[in-house]
Amino acid sequence: MIQEDVVCSFCGCLCDDIRVETNDEGIVKAKGACRLGSSKILGHGPGHGRISKPMIRQDGELVEVEYQVAYDRAARILKAAKRPLLYGWASTVCEAHEEGVLLAEEVGAVIDSTATVCHGPSVIGVEEKGLAGATLGQVKNRADLILFWGCNPAEAHPRHMRRYSSNSTGRFTPEGRKGRTVIVIDVRETRTARLADRFIRIDPGTDYQVISALRLILAGKAEILGDEVCGISKGKLVDLVDILKKARFGAIFFGLGLTHSRGRYKNIDCALSLTAELNAHTKFMIMPMRGHYNVAGIGQVMAWEGGYPMSVDYSRGAPYFNPGETAACDLLARREADAALIIAADPASNFPRSIVEALAEIPVIQIDPYENPTTLLADVVIPCAIAGVEVEGTAYRMDGLPLRMRKVIEPVHPSDEEILKEIRESARRLPDDH
Amino acid sequence: MVVSVKAIMISGRTLGQGAACEAKMSPDYFREASSCSLSQADLRGLGISPGENLEVTSEHGTVILTPQEDRGLDPGLIFIPMGPWANCLVGPDTSGCGTPQYKGVHVEVKVTTFPVLAIRELFGRFGGTRT
């Protein structure tokens, strides 16, 4: 069977033009998907490291159990904890996120997403400064200048350039790549940089200074600057500002080069300010290159449910948000979290080593389709269906556009939403003093 | 005398790491995520021979990685695909914003004959201890 216009569930591009072919054995082709999307869509079979049965750790070994036993054990762990953490959420649909917030309320947990180790600083920056945004459709149809800052879509979002940005063709951009100026600013010459018209290499950790210098030039105060800013000549920066001002519609895309480097949310704050100031001269927008396909969605759900987009503490009776205090890494580093439910994420791989050591000291419940390093330190492992391949639901593209993910094949395992609901109901049945 | 190079570590997504990241226990993921890239000048300076690996140390830990050359890197920069090997070098401090500093970590690099730890070895001392 052929299914047209399937939405890819790998990265924040949410490409919605994938042609998926299935037969009795599962998905056999994903036409139109990039290498990342293909690996996700085709990687659903049992030979791809899928967890087959729920497991509970007994005498140091993971032992297979029935689903209800795993739900009850998970509920007891969360209910007994004083400071449970519910973490992950980037690779599942918004229907599961809603259940997650309900579970956080039920057990008085902190709920946090993988945004805190990727674009969390962008979220904070946007809260401080606001964001001059646009949809990817507007960029495709109108942008004649694309600036990639600290991001490498050629490897992290492989279809971004062709579908939405530098190489796309649209209503007012019929010439595609030929009609656009593409600039890359990075600390290394990435694959994306090699495709640009202009590559500006900056020293690591100097994004804030360079953006500030551009803002000064834009404000007509170039004379304040020295001849060189962080290894770049002043002339080069003046030229760059000139190019930016001459654009009809400029689009700045930024990645973890800004959020993971020295300055973190202040880098974003500064880039957002630059974009706002460019709008005094021409039209400019800015957008974070969101990584996992629905990391933007968990931010939306948490914001509409509790008022805050990540790191929300439900232990006080009312939602409380203070990243640095309530973010997963900080809670674990302080040895404050005393139990964790990990869903649709792999913190054992993606947290700094000392924080993984803290996670290994507490009871861990993992909900995931695949075995990964978090499985190695989990006490309860609950296999789920793959959201966006085996389960339908809502996901938010990197520009905030909600799209409906399709169920392409029938699942063997329950969905994230069903699992979370069962754990919540089991927790509710337990006495309060448990 | 053991030659070492001081460098700044950047971690991030690569196409190969991304394509294997839903199968983290696979040989593909091991191959893609347990490598590091340096400039030709730095690799020459280290005097690395075929079959040897690199031992990379920050104030937060040490990890052994297979070396690669990347012409896009300036001397003094080392790139490691995001993942558990790179994160051995990253510290826990979030500067009050929830996000550790995954890029811009000061490291020292030297040649070693020790092997790269496979993923189960890397997490060997975790798990299997609780009931």
Side-chain angles (χ1 to χ4, degrees):
Chain A
M1 191 173 85
I2 306 284
Q3 296 181 59
E4 304 280 357
D5 297 335
V6 171
V7 183
C8 176
S9 56
F10 190 94
C11 81
C13 286
L14 286 186
C15 296
D16 56 356
D17 61 345
I18 312 299
R19 190 169 185 262
V20 172
E21 189 180 329
T22 56
N23 64 20
D24 292 344
E25 293 179 359
I27 303 170
V28 289
K29 269 189 194 160
K31 199 175 170 196
C34 68
R35 189 173 160 198
L36 302 181
S38 297
S39 72
K40 178 77 187 278
I41 297 167
L42 296 170
H44 64 88
H48 292 84
R50 292 290 293 266
I51 304 166
S52 56
K53 295 266 189 186
M55 294 180 283
I56 283 177
R57 198 172 289 283
Q58 290 176 354
D59 299 325
E61 298 294 329
L62 286 171
V63 177
E64 290 184 358
V65 294
E66 294 302 317
Y67 268 98
Q68 192 58 51
V69 176
Y71 297 149
D72 292 342
R73 175 67 72 92
R76 279 200 299 279
I77 287 171
L78 294 175
K79 203 78 190 273
K82 288 184 177 152
R83 199 93 171 105
L85 168 68
L86 314 183
Y87 174 81
W89 311 102
S91 294
T92 190
V93 290
C94 293
E95 289 74 2
H97 300 159
E98 290 183 87
E99 269 301 328
V101 174
L102 290 173
L103 181 62
E105 279 189 298
E106 180 69 34
V107 299
V110 173
I111 179 166
D112 194 17
S113 79
T114 59
T116 53
V117 292
C118 57
H119 274 288
S122 308
V123 172
I124 299 169
V126 172
E127 285 190 327
E128 294 221 330
K129 201 63 73 173
L131 175 131
T135 64
L136 289 170
Q138 285 172 292
V139 173
K140 169 189 161 147
N141 285 304
R142 295 174 187 278
D144 63 337
L145 182 141
I146 308 285
L147 168 55
F148 293 115
W149 196 311
C151 61
N152 182 17
E155 298 206 58
H157 302 82
R159 296 187 76 210
H160 188 280
M161 297 165 86
R162 181 170 290 271
R163 259 176 78 78
Y164 305 119
S165 57
S166 54
N167 293 40
S168 65
T169 51
R171 186 168 177 191
F172 305 113
T173 52
E175 289 186 292
R177 177 67 182 84
K178 248 173 70 184
R180 288 196 176 89
T181 303
V182 179
I183 302 164
V184 170
I185 300 178
D186 210 307
V187 299
R188 61 191 178 109
E189 190 187 357
T190 59
R191 287 191 196 186
T192 308
R194 286 169 204 148
L195 300 169
D197 298 310
R198 186 176 286 234
F199 167 52
I200 299 174
R201 191 192 297 265
I202 62 170
D203 293 337
T206 62
D207 303 85
Y208 189 90
Q209 291 98 309
V210 176
I211 301 168
S212 298
L214 295 174
R215 292 177 63 195
L216 274 175
I217 295 166
L218 190 63
K221 295 174 183 170
E223 73 279 2
I224 296 171
L225 296 170
D227 293 339
E228 208 177 270
V229 178
C230 304
I232 314 166
S233 73
K234 182 164 137 183
K236 215 174 194 179
L237 293 173
V238 170
D239 283 351
L240 176 60
V241 170
D242 199 39
I243 293 169
L244 299 180
K245 281 165 71 176
K246 282 182 179 155
R248 279 184 294 114
F249 185 122
I252 301 174
F253 293 98
F254 67 94
L256 304 187
L258 287 188
T259 67
H260 278 178
S261 301
R262 189 164 69 101
R264 281 166 268 193
Y265 76 95
K266 283 295 178 191
N267 295 336
I268 312 306
D269 184 320
C270 204
L272 295 171
S273 298
L274 170 67
T275 312
E277 288 153 12
L278 280 164
N279 274 285
H281 301 270
T282 183
K283 170 69 186 169
F284 250 87
M285 60 74 70
I286 184 164
M287 190 183 300
M289 298 284 275
R290 304 308 295 266
H292 288 288
Y293 80 91
N294 202 21
V295 69
I298 179 64
Q300 296 276 348
V301 174
M302 278 208 255
W304 81 53
E305 294 280 4
Y308 304 108
M310 60 183 189
S311 314
V312 186
D313 183 353
Y314 278 92
S315 71
R316 301 167 180 227
Y320 171 79
F321 162 76
N322 186 18
E325 180 190 352
T326 56
C329 283
D330 296 285
L331 278 178
L332 288 163
R334 291 197 306 270
R335 302 296 200 270
E336 196 173 309
D338 57 352
L341 180 146
I342 309 297
I343 179 167
D346 177 21
S349 292
N350 296 321
F351 282 177
R353 181 74 177 187
S354 63
I355 295 178
V356 179
E357 286 170 3
L359 185 65
E361 292 169 8
I362 62 174
V364 172
I365 303 148
Q366 182 194 32
I367 302 171
D368 207 282
Y370 303 101
E371 185 187 19
N372 58 38
T374 299
T375 317
L376 302 179
L377 49 90
D379 299 278
V380 181
V381 178
I382 306 177
C384 61
I386 305 171
V389 176
E390 299 172 334
V391 181
E392 67 171 340
T394 301
Y396 281 74
R397 206 167 65 179
M398 64 169 72
D399 56 352
L401 182 84
L403 288 166
R404 192 72 181 165
M405 309 301 291
R406 301 258 294 275
K407 177 165 80 172
V408 185
I409 49 168
E410 282 300 321
V412 174
H413 303 287
S415 68
D416 293 315
E417 184 186 359
E418 289 164 335
I419 291 167
L420 290 162
K421 198 171 180 184
E422 292 286 351
I423 294 173
R424 181 164 59 87
E425 284 177 1
S426 182
R428 184 161 281 186
R429 287 194 295 271
L430 290 169
D432 277 342
D433 61 346
H434 182 80
Chain B
M1 191 183 77
V2 178
V3 178
S4 70
V5 164
K6 288 198 188 309
I8 292 176
M9 190 280 281
I10 308 283
S11 63
R13 170 82 81 212
T14 67
L15 202 50
Q17 176 274 339
C21 76
E22 294 286 10
K24 291 214 178 76
M25 314 311 281
S26 69
D28 283 353
Y29 183 73
F30 172 65
R31 189 182 58 249
E32 296 290 348
S34 65
S35 66
C36 64
S37 303
L38 289 96
S39 67
Q40 188 186 58
D42 279 343
L43 282 175
R44 276 192 188 153
L46 285 162
I48 193 161
S49 304
E52 289 182 324
N53 291 319
L54 292 177
E55 181 184 298
V56 186
T57 302
S58 74
E59 64 172 304
H60 306 289
T62 295
V63 68
I64 294 167
L65 303 159
T66 53
Q68 288 180 356
E69 183 187 318
D70 183 343
R71 67 184 172 90
L73 289 170
D74 273 354
L77 271 185
I78 175 169
F79 177 84
I80 308 177
M82 59 188 278
W85 288 274
N87 288 335
C88 289
L89 304 169
V90 178
D93 180 46
T94 74
S95 293
C97 74
T99 308
Q101 190 178 321
Y102 291 97
K103 300 181 199 290
V105 180
H106 292 270
V107 296
E108 189 167 1
V109 186
K110 60 183 183 184
V111 175
T112 181
T113 53
F114 283 109
V116 178
L117 289 182
I119 200 145
R120 287 183 192 278
E121 295 168 325
L122 199 63
F123 289 90
R125 63 197 175 87
F126 298 150
T129 55
R130 291 187 299 271
T131 58

